[in-house]
Amino acid sequence: MFRCHCRDCQQLTGSGHSEMVPLVAKSLSIGDALKTFEMTGGSGRSTFSGFCPN
């Protein structure tokens, strides 16, 4: 786990940081749909954030 304080994470969460847990997508099972937000990170590569749509 880690806490990120970059501007992108501050805007995504509306707070001063974002809590993150990196993992292998194949090892995660979610029982309901997620809304996914894609943006370009500081490296120029795409980053994805998943949120509960409700």
Side-chain angles (χ1 to χ4, degrees):
M1 291 183 65
F2 65 97
R3 181 177 287 168
C4 183
H5 296 271
C6 78
R7 287 283 180 211
D8 292 336
C9 287
Q10 291 174 357
Q11 289 178 342
L12 282 170
T13 63
S15 70
H17 65 277
S18 178
E19 305 287 341
M20 297 189 204
V21 179
L23 51 88
V24 177
K26 291 179 184 178
S27 68
L28 177 67
S29 174
I30 298 175
D32 207 350
L34 285 178
K35 182 168 180 85
T36 303
F37 180 74
E38 178 181 358
M39 59 189 285
T40 303
S43 68
R45 296 173 58 191
S46 293
T47 61
F48 301 90
S49 297
F51 300 91
C52 174
N54 299 320

